[in-house]
């Protein structure tokens, strides 16, 4: 899984209880990279365009503008309107946080607030997310922020954490760190080489999209973790309690040992459409779908 569980307490069971963690209070004012803003809006837009591998002409056609005007904006010969900045950012798929930086660099006020997750304004969102992940039980589900810190999780996650050392459950709990740490879930993941490769590739895509230094630092940390000493990466051996026949998986599963069994999960990630707040834009809900009948049967047996 990408993941693990919320950790408001050192206990794995309490850490993964279906409640949203209360992060440290942050200012509702949007945060931006001052050094990026100092560059001016033209170089910033050019950087995003080049990263997305879009020509000036193609961007102009998408944004109902002209290649000449795009060129003038990028070189500083023309100051784009607020509407144009937002339109270009939309067509370049610029993250909400960075759209604020573009607006500031162009001399406009930020458009998107960054509301703390424990703010009363987000009560409805938090309650809705909690109902969603609770309703998914006994299957695991959790919510992460932009750097994979877990802010909420259900009891299905607690089940997977029952053998994790408590020192790894100290808040803030990070999904990538716990999954790939040699004392975390990694020793129990039977197809660790493939799953690790999947997670690192996912982080690389996120870094390319968000250009986040904290995310890059996390990637460098977890990519350097050694394989667990007792683990044989890529081993396909199954325990006696595992599935009795080969299952034709429809996507790469995470195969993890639990209580003498091998459970298989397919990961699905959901985000919010058209977010108008930085915090909401950076939340992701991950659900672990059982990938074979044996996993379904075992998880359902936990409810009885």
């Amino acid at each position: 899984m990408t993941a693990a569980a919320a950790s408001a307490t050192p206990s794995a069971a309490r850490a993964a209880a279906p409640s949203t963690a209360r992060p440290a209070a942050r200012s509702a004012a949007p945060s931006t990279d001052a050094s990026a803003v100092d560059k001016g809006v033209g170089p910033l837009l050019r950087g995003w365009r080049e990263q997305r591998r879009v020509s000036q002409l193609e961007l102009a056609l998408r944004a109902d503008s002209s290649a000449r005007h795009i060129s003038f904006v990028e070189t500083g010969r023309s100051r784009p309107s607020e509407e144009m900045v937002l339109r270009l950012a939309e067509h370049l798929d610029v993250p909400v946080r960075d759209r604020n930086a573009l607006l500031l660099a162009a001399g406009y006020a930020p458009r998107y607030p960054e509301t703390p997750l424990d703010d009363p304004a987000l009560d409805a969102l938090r309650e809705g997310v909690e109902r969603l992940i609770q309703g998914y039980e006994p299957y695991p589900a959790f919510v992460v922020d932009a750097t994979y810190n877990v802010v909420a999780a259900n009891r299905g996650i607690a089940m997977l954490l029952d053998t994790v050392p408590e020192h790894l459950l100290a808040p803030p709990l990070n999904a990538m760190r716990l999954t790939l740490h040699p004392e975390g879930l990694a020793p129990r993941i039977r197809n660790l080489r493939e799953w690790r490769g999947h997670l690192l590739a996912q982080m690389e895509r996120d870094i390319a999209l968000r250009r986040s230094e904290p995310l890059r630092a996390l990637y460098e940390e977890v990519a350097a973790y050694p394989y667990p000493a007792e683990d044989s990466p890529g081993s396909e051996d199954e325990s006696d309690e595992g599935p009795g026949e080969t299952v034709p998986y429809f996507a790469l599963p995470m195969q993890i040992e639990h209580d003498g069994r091998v459970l298989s999960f397919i990961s699905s990630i959901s985000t919010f459409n058209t977010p108008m707040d930085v915090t909401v834009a950076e939340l992701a809900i991950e659900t672990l779908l059982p990938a074979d009948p044996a996993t379904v049967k075992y998880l359902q047996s936990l409810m009885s």
Side-chain angles (χ1 to χ4, degrees):
M1 56 201 217
T2 298
S7 65
T9 71
S11 164
R14 293 197 304 273
S19 61
T20 303
R22 306 295 189 191
R26 295 180 296 175
S27 168
S31 62
T32 55
D33 184 340
S35 62
V37 171
D38 291 341
K39 295 178 181 178
V41 68
L44 289 178
L45 283 170
R46 183 174 63 249
W48 283 108
R49 180 181 60 78
E50 291 174 348
Q51 183 171 326
R52 298 296 187 255
R53 299 181 180 180
V54 176
S55 68
Q56 289 182 342
L57 178 58
E58 183 179 354
L59 179 58
L61 292 173
R62 292 181 187 179
D64 193 23
S65 183
S66 68
R68 178 184 176 88
H69 182 56
I70 300 298
S71 176
F72 278 17
V73 167
E74 291 185 354
T75 58
R77 295 180 63 183
S78 177
R79 178 174 179 253
S81 67
E82 182 178 11
E83 178 186 1
M84 176 58 73
V85 171
L86 292 172
R87 192 187 313 163
L88 294 176
E90 176 71 23
H91 288 292
L92 290 173
D93 195 23
V94 176
V96 170
R97 181 183 297 276
D98 295 284
R99 296 184 193 192
N100 281 334
L102 290 173
L103 288 168
L104 281 173
Y108 303 111
R111 175 69 64 91
Y112 305 97
E114 184 176 0
T115 309
L117 194 56
D118 59 355
D119 191 288
L122 296 184
D123 281 351
L125 179 140
R126 287 197 315 274
E127 293 169 3
V129 168
E130 288 177 6
R131 285 196 297 270
L132 180 65
I133 62 176
Q134 288 177 39
Y136 198 66
E137 293 174 354
Y139 305 153
F142 54 97
V143 185
V144 296
D145 64 15
T147 53
Y148 294 97
N149 288 323
V150 182
V151 299
N154 68 7
R155 288 175 292 185
I157 291 293
M159 179 255 320
L160 296 179
L161 294 179
D162 57 2
T163 63
V164 173
E166 290 200 358
H167 73 87
L168 288 179
L169 300 174
L173 187 62
N174 186 274
M176 289 292 184
R177 185 176 291 121
L178 181 57
T179 303
L180 297 179
H181 195 284
E183 295 183 70
L185 298 180
R188 292 162 46 201
I189 298 177
R190 299 294 292 275
N191 57 337
L192 179 59
R193 183 177 296 278
E194 295 131 316
W195 194 248
R196 179 180 182 273
H198 155 67
L199 295 185
L200 293 180
Q202 178 179 313
M203 294 184 73
E204 289 171 353
R205 290 192 296 270
D206 287 345
I207 291 169
L209 175 65
R210 299 171 181 167
R211 304 201 297 197
S212 165
E213 287 306 316
L215 191 57
R216 181 176 296 279
L218 175 64
Y219 173 87
E220 292 175 354
E221 175 192 336
V222 300
Y225 286 161
Y227 283 102
E230 69 277 13
D231 186 59
S232 175
S235 172
E236 299 297 332
D237 294 337
E238 295 181 340
S239 70
D240 293 338
E241 298 292 336
E245 58 182 298
T246 302
V247 176
Y249 294 114
F250 48 89
L252 177 67
M254 177 189 70
Q255 298 172 317
I256 185 168
E257 295 180 5
H258 179 267
D259 195 24
R261 296 171 172 80
V262 176
L263 305 180
S264 296
F265 296 98
I266 300 296
S267 170
S268 174
I269 300 175
S270 302
T271 56
F272 291 92
N273 287 332
T274 60
M276 301 300 292
D277 186 282
V278 174
T279 299
V280 176
E282 295 179 344
L283 292 178
I285 304 169
E286 181 158 357
T287 52
L288 299 181
L289 177 69
D292 56 43
T295 301
V296 173
K297 182 178 180 181
Y298 174 69
L299 294 176
Q300 291 180 345
S301 72
L302 299 180
M303 298 290 287
S304 59

